[in-house]
Amino acid sequence: MGQGKHPRQIGAYLVDRMIGRGAMGVVYAARHRESGQAVALKTLQPKRLSGTVEAVVERFAHEVIAMNSLQHPGIVRVFDWDRTETEGLGEVLFFAMELLEGETLEQSIKHGPFHATEACILVLKIAEALRSAHAQGIVHRDIKPANVFLTNDRRVVITDFGVCKLSNVRPVTTVGSFI
């Protein structure tokens, strides 16, 4: 997957553009082929990651289960997930989540400091979303500015539950493992 190149379709989704790249995957802006719903698709290619394909699939499913179970305006919503063969990429795991418009807290910090009142409101919104997740037995475990999104409509949204801990699911992260 070269910079700027992307698949035309992943599962039932038509890919518009790449919007982010992380250590384990790529996120695309896309549309559902039939409904036209705009989404963000988080993708992983299991064969490109360390560990067995089964372990990567389990880790990915872990994240989807966590995010899908959370219904809070401060936590990104997940709509769909699947495993598919994609031309040029091979096997791909993906989930469709709400497409957020705005920027990450990490990007926003680069514009300069927040006013004290703004910073307090931001921290309270993050804490409320985390409280909601904790009440459902989910601990994020990777809260950082890159995983907090500030939307254009002034929502504060926590993303990326890839290393979360679920109290009702056996752990799938092992010592020394990134997956």
Side-chain angles (χ1 to χ4, degrees), residues 7-84:
R8 291 188 183 127
Q9 185 170 330
I10 298 175
Y13 298 89
L14 303 172
V15 175
D16 293 328
R17 68 188 188 286
M18 183 174 64
I19 55 177
R21 179 185 298 274
M24 298 186 345
V26 178
V27 179
Y28 299 101
R31 299 170 269 109
H32 189 274
R33 185 178 54 234
E34 293 180 22
S35 72
Q37 179 183 18
V39 298
L41 286 182
K42 181 173 182 177
T43 64
L44 290 180
Q45 291 174 267
K47 291 182 181 175
R48 291 186 173 213
L49 301 172
S50 63
T52 66
V53 170
E54 295 77 26
V56 172
V57 170
E58 186 176 9
R59 181 83 227 135
F60 194 73
H62 184 80
E63 180 178 4
V64 173
I65 289 165
M67 292 176 70
N68 195 44
S69 70
L70 298 172
Q71 301 298 315
H72 187 279
I75 298 172
V76 68
R77 292 175 305 179
V78 172
F79 305 120
D80 186 19
W81 80 287
D82 205 351
R83 182 177 183 173
T84 188

Side-chain angles (χ1 to χ4, degrees), residues 84-113:
T84 188
E85 288 290 324
T86 300
E87 186 178 329
L89 299 180
E91 183 179 31
V92 175
L93 301 170
F94 70 89
F95 64 84
M97 59 188 157
E98 68 181 305
L99 180 61
L100 301 170
E101 299 294 337
E103 64 184 358
T104 65
L105 178 56
E106 180 178 60
Q107 293 166 324
S108 184
I109 288 170
K110 292 176 182 175
H111 303 306

